[in-house]
Amino acid sequence: MKKYAARLRKIRISHEYSQEYVALKLGMSNSAYSKLEQGRTEMTLTRLVQMSEILQFNLSQFFDEEPEMEVAESVYAGYGFVTRGEFVQHVDKLHLLERQLSKILSQLPQ
């Protein structure tokens, strides 16, 4: 069961959802949801179906081989909710948008 609990965690992280968000959608406490992801609590079929809808995964593929998505375990380490590389990419995008906006504004009639 821990293998499938770990898969759920990887899928959740790949969607960039927090445990709190998924727990809220499932109508359960953060602590109870955390235990599901750790494999410390057995998961009912009903709960698994709910999770597949929230996390948008196919149940039949979930039980087959390891899902294709691979997520580093330390994706949140040290930088809040994004890695340093992701943060730099976001800053670069913001600078690009700023330049584009400046160009558009300069072309508008005064």
Side-chain angles (χ1 to χ4, degrees):
M1 190 63 182
K2 287 193 182 238
K3 173 172 111 175
Y4 298 113
R7 285 185 185 181
L8 286 174
R9 180 176 186 276
K10 286 181 179 183
I11 293 168
R12 175 185 58 77
I13 291 172
S14 74
H15 282 79
E16 299 180 357
Y17 292 152
S18 66
Q19 284 188 337
E20 293 81 11
Y21 172 80
V22 177
L24 179 69
K25 288 292 204 177
L26 291 170
M28 62 191 324
S29 70
N30 296 344
S31 173
Y33 179 77
S34 177
K35 289 177 184 175
L36 284 174
E37 273 194 8
Q38 295 170 14
R40 293 173 43 202
T41 301
E42 290 294 319
M43 194 171 322
T44 65
L45 182 57
T46 302
R47 186 68 78 193
L48 188 58
V49 169
Q50 290 172 327
M51 293 178 81
S52 73
E53 292 170 357
I54 294 167
L55 299 175
Q56 303 163 359
F57 64 85
N58 183 310
L59 275 177
S60 62
Q61 291 175 344
F62 180 77
F63 290 107
D64 288 343
E65 296 299 314
E66 183 69 20
E68 291 181 21
M69 62 194 81
E70 290 296 323
V71 177
E73 293 297 319
S74 62
V75 71
Y76 299 123
Y79 295 98
F81 292 102
V82 296
T83 64
R84 184 178 192 284
E86 291 169 331
F87 179 78
V88 170
Q89 287 177 345
H90 290 303
V91 170
D92 290 343
K93 287 178 186 176
L94 285 173
H95 287 276
L96 176 63
L97 289 171
E98 183 180 39
R99 287 191 300 273
Q100 290 173 343
L101 181 60
S102 291
K103 183 178 177 182
I104 291 169
L105 289 174
S106 70
Q107 294 173 351
L108 291 175
Q110 300 296 327

